Amino acid sequence: MTSLHGFLFGVYPYICLTVFLLGSLLRFDRDQYTWKSDSSQLLRTGLLRWGSNLFHVGIIFLFFGHLVGLLTPHAVYGVFMDAATKQRMAIYAGGVAGFICFIGLSMLIYRRMFDERIRYTSHKTDLAILLILWVQLSVGLITLPLSYGHVDGSVMLILADWAQRIITLREVNTAALVVLPWPYLFHMVFGMTIFLLFPFSRLVHVWSGFASVGYLLRPYQIVRSRRLHVGVTTRSSHAPKPVQTSHSAGQPAAVASKGKFS
């Protein structure tokens, strides 16, 4: 094990985690007007509808799949499922979600690069973050065939133990990761780098997506009318005036008027 290996998997995770949390907080506090994804839907819809939906469905499933799969202790699911069964579920479900996300992301990249109107109005960081996600997703799909070679779940337990030690701020056993093939290691380092770049890119809008869940849990709001006399019918100043009928020549005007409006 080299010193670089120890740094990448023993020190670098904490650097990325710190920048991810503090950087997001500082950007929200100082640059809230940049807290957005800069949608280009108004310029041209085209591939955006299919590409965005496929990408978001796939990436949301992959995110929570990694989150639950890596951070759930073996003692929690070991009662009703062994590690081999869990790894097979991760391979099949992750493969389908990854393939869906790959198609959607490829469509978005094609749209950013080859649609002249979208390309001229896009920031360089927009295309850069899409390419980084595409590389990360491609390497993740490469690891699927390798996972079939050890369906006993041993590699998954090694990765889960490493991730859980990072989150709980415990000492990390970086030597256990040496036996992993290079696609796994590259996927891990590249994934941590995405968290490092998170506060400085359009990815910060992900926080807003999680915050919108609070809208479903907020209490009901009481809405009252701003009118002072609710239910009282008033004559509008623009209402037509009543038409006065002509009275007979032998009848006084006052009597005719009284007879009409009494």
Side-chain angles (χ1 to χ4, degrees):
M1 183 183 67
T2 62
S3 57
L4 178 61
H5 180 89
F7 170 80
L8 289 178
F9 299 101
V11 179
Y12 189 57
Y14 293 106
I15 297 176
C16 297
L17 186 62
T18 303
V19 173
F20 167 68
L21 296 176
L22 294 182
S24 299
L25 182 61
L26 290 175
R27 180 169 178 179
F28 180 78
D29 182 64
R30 302 184 60 180
D31 298 311
Q32 292 188 18
Y33 287 105
T34 65
W35 194 280
K36 56 184 179 178
S37 59
D38 289 331
S39 176
S40 58
Q41 183 177 0
L42 295 177
L43 297 177
R44 199 185 311 279
T45 304
L47 296 175
L48 180 63
R49 183 180 295 107
W50 278 101
S52 179
N53 290 332
L54 292 175
F55 167 72
H56 283 91
V57 169
I59 200 68
I60 290 174
F61 189 92
L62 290 175
F63 175 80
F64 285 103
H66 282 73
L67 188 68
V68 175
L70 292 176
L71 301 184
T72 303
H74 178 68
V76 174
Y77 65 86
V79 179
F80 55 89
M81 182 190 306
D82 57 4
T85 303
K86 181 185 176 184
Q87 179 158 330
R88 285 194 296 268
M89 291 179 57
I91 293 174
Y92 300 142
V96 173
F99 184 71
I100 293 175
C101 185
F102 181 83
I103 294 177
L105 186 56
S106 299
M107 295 172 67
L108 294 179
I109 293 177
Y110 178 85
R111 178 175 177 270
R112 288 279 179 181
M113 294 182 63
F114 298 101
D115 191 315
E116 183 176 1
R117 189 178 185 185
I118 304 300
R119 185 174 67 252
Y120 285 160
T121 56
S122 300
H123 298 286
K124 294 181 180 180
T125 55
D126 295 339
L127 181 59
I129 200 66
L130 290 178
L131 292 175
I132 291 174
L133 292 175
W134 190 88
V135 173
Q136 173 71 350
L137 182 60
S138 300
V139 177
L141 293 175
I142 292 175
T143 62
L144 293 178
L146 299 176
S147 300
Y148 283 103
H150 42 77
V151 291
D152 57 346
S154 58
V155 173
M156 183 192 64
L157 292 177
I158 294 175
L159 296 175
D161 180 73
W162 171 81
Q164 292 169 20
R165 288 178 178 272
I166 294 294
I167 296 298
T168 56
L169 304 179
R170 292 180 294 166
E171 183 180 0
V172 180
N173 183 17
T174 58
L177 303 175
V178 178
V179 297
L180 299 180
W182 71 266
Y184 288 99
L185 301 179
F186 183 90
H187 190 64
M188 295 166 64
V189 174
F190 219 64
M192 291 184 289
T193 304
I194 292 177
F195 280 93
L196 182 69
L197 300 176
F198 187 95
F200 313 103
S201 66
R202 61 186 298 174
L203 291 176
V204 291
H205 78 280
V206 176
W207 284 116
S208 301
F210 289 119
S212 62
V213 179
Y215 177 82
L216 302 176
L217 305 177
R218 73 174 187 176
Y220 289 102
Q221 293 182 345
I222 300 176
V223 180
R224 295 184 174 90
S225 176
R226 298 183 62 183
R227 292 182 296 173
L228 298 179
H229 303 286
V230 179
V232 178
T233 304
T234 58
R235 177 176 293 178
S236 174
S237 60
H238 300 285
K241 297 181 178 179
V243 179
Q244 296 183 0
T245 59
S246 61
H247 55 296
S248 60
Q251 187 178 17
V255 175
S257 176
K258 181 179 179 181
K260 177 177 178 57
F261 296 102
S262 59

